[in-house]
Amino acid sequence: LPDLVSGFGRRVLLVSGRDTARFAGLVDALRAAGLEVSRESIPGEPTVDQVAAIVGRARTAAPAAVIAIGGGSVVDAGKAVAALVANTGDILDYLEVVGRGQPIEKPPLPFIAVPTTAGTGAEVTRNAVLGVPSARVKASMRHPSMLPAIALVDPALTLSVPPAVTAATGMDALTQLIEPFLCRRATPLTDALCRDGIPRVARALPVAFREPSNRAARVNLSLGALYSGLALANAGLGAVHGFAAPIGGAFPAPHGAVCAALLPHVLEANLTALRAGGTATAPFLQRFDELARLLTGRQDATAEDAVAWTAILARELQIPPLSHWGIREQDIPGLVSRARQASSMKANPVALSDEALSTIVRRAIAA
């Protein structure tokens, strides 16, 4: 990492997670390479206020580049900081949904992403998801120039990830391969990534959950997460992520855990709606059958097997129901209303009724 960063300038900002002592050796190595290092930490999923505070301090420190080492939340925070330090506007000028959604005018500072989990694929996406507590929602800053200059992906950094985090982040990566494969905007490029990534993650995730130090499984999860970021950035997602943003903004629920709880129920709802769609939805049903073969490894698998397989995997990984995060029946109408407005919902393979969307959340609450 010091070799990769040194070409950008003498001063760097290092953004990491809550445990800042974990990367003391890295700071020493950066300083030994002649770099001046300032440090910031993100204790959880980033909010606009946290990022704005870091940006204020970073503008004074005047770094030449930003490094983020940590999970997807840290990478998203670093990505936002790199963009905002180089631009003079307020964070809400650039935020979608609850902000003004203006484009980034000046190129962000060079940004280096070093993921320590295998889930979001944020190291290869051009947006940063930030929480807006006042609006009880998550929203993105988004611009092609926000794509990281370097993604340093080392599966060895994920060996210490505990099983519950491995499960949630791995299910997020799997979801981000499944939804682009099934969505309306799939392309031959993203299909290739998904066809290779889905079976990798499907086989590796249970192994890494049971055997955290299994290096082969960690390699496949890291590669699958990288694929998932490329796939979602170039195709789209679906109803799982349509719900994930409003749920994550309103409840203290980790993004990956929300996606994992929703995935089987979204697949079931999509399959039901596609079967009712007649000849117009036949290509999507063929995709569904292929997904089942990719997940199960069985050539005779059908779409129903894909739904059943993901439900079994969620139980095996001990994914908690949405009720674990405080979501109740009375929250469903508001979540459905906000999910309809999410950009991810627009790529779902079929339009889902409010009744179908409500059923998804109800079943994910009780699962």
Side-chain angles (χ1 to χ4, degrees):
L1 187 60
D3 291 339
L4 292 172
V5 176
S6 59
F8 294 116
R10 280 196 63 202
R11 294 177 182 170
V12 297
L13 170 63
L14 179 67
V15 182
S16 60
R18 183 182 291 107
D19 183 9
T20 56
R22 182 182 178 195
F23 301 111
L26 173 59
V27 174
D28 291 342
L30 290 167
R31 287 175 176 158
L35 298 169
E36 296 179 17
V37 183
S38 55
R39 301 199 63 180
E40 295 284 355
S41 66
I42 292 290
E45 298 193 356
T47 66
V48 289
D49 290 340
Q50 289 171 336
V51 169
I54 293 174
V55 169
R57 293 188 290 270
R59 283 175 175 160
T60 300
V66 177
I67 305 166
I69 181 165
S73 295
V74 173
V75 173
D76 272 357
K79 203 183 300 182
V81 169
L84 290 165
V85 168
N87 287 271
T88 57
D90 181 80
I91 190 169
L92 289 177
D93 289 337
Y94 308 110
L95 206 65
E96 298 174 345
V97 182
V98 294
R100 287 172 278 282
Q102 296 174 358
I104 299 293
E105 295 178 356
K106 298 179 181 178
L109 297 180
F111 175 61
I112 299 89
V114 189
T116 60
T117 61
T120 66
E123 65 272 16
V124 287
T125 60
R126 53 184 177 261
N127 70 300
V129 181
L130 306 176
V132 189
S134 61
R136 301 189 76 205
V137 72
K138 288 181 179 179
S140 282
M141 288 179 57
R142 191 186 312 271
H143 195 269
S145 67
M146 290 176 63
L147 193 69
I150 295 172
L152 178 56
V153 182
D154 184 351
L157 296 177
T158 69
L159 291 172
S160 60
V161 174
V165 179
T166 296
T169 53
M171 285 292 281
D172 187 22
L174 185 62
T175 303
Q176 291 173 176
L177 290 163
I178 290 173
E179 290 202 299
F181 187 67
L182 295 178
C183 82
R184 299 179 187 185
R185 302 172 186 163
T187 71
L189 172 68
T190 57
D191 286 349
L193 296 168
C194 296
R195 286 184 173 117
D196 190 78
I198 289 170
R200 281 184 188 272
V201 176
R203 308 296 169 267
L205 182 51
V207 175
F209 180 74
R210 296 189 305 265
E211 307 169 27
S213 61
N214 188 303
R215 287 180 175 266
R218 294 294 188 182
V219 167
N220 281 318
L221 286 182
S222 289
L223 186 55
L226 178 70
Y227 285 168
S228 80
L230 293 168
L232 74 88
N234 289 283
L237 289 162
V240 173
H241 281 81
F243 273 118
I247 289 175
F251 297 91
H255 174 76
V258 171
C259 291
L262 288 166
L263 178 60
H265 310 294
V266 168
L267 288 178
E268 184 175 14
N270 279 342
L271 180 58
T272 299
L274 288 169
R275 290 212 184 282
T279 56
T281 58
F284 293 104
L285 288 170
Q286 293 171 2
R287 283 286 176 123
F288 233 114
D289 287 338
E290 184 178 356
L291 171 63
R293 296 192 291 271
L294 292 169
L295 288 171
T296 65
R298 290 176 22 229
Q299 291 307 304
D300 63 341
T302 61
E304 287 80 6
D305 296 315
V307 177
W309 189 93
T310 55
I312 291 169
L313 179 63
R315 289 194 294 271
E316 182 180 343
L317 299 179
Q318 301 172 26
I319 299 298
L322 292 184
S323 58
H324 178 81
W325 309 108
I327 302 170
R328 301 290 182 261
E329 176 77 22
Q330 59 265 31
D331 300 312
I332 294 177
L335 291 173
V336 168
S337 175
R338 290 195 292 275
R340 280 219 171 276
Q341 301 170 33
S343 58
S344 294
M345 193 68 79
K346 296 178 176 62
N348 200 60
V350 62
L352 296 173
S353 66
D354 283 356
E355 181 181 0
L357 294 173
S358 298
T359 299
I360 288 169
V361 183
R362 189 172 295 112
R363 289 176 175 171
I365 288 173

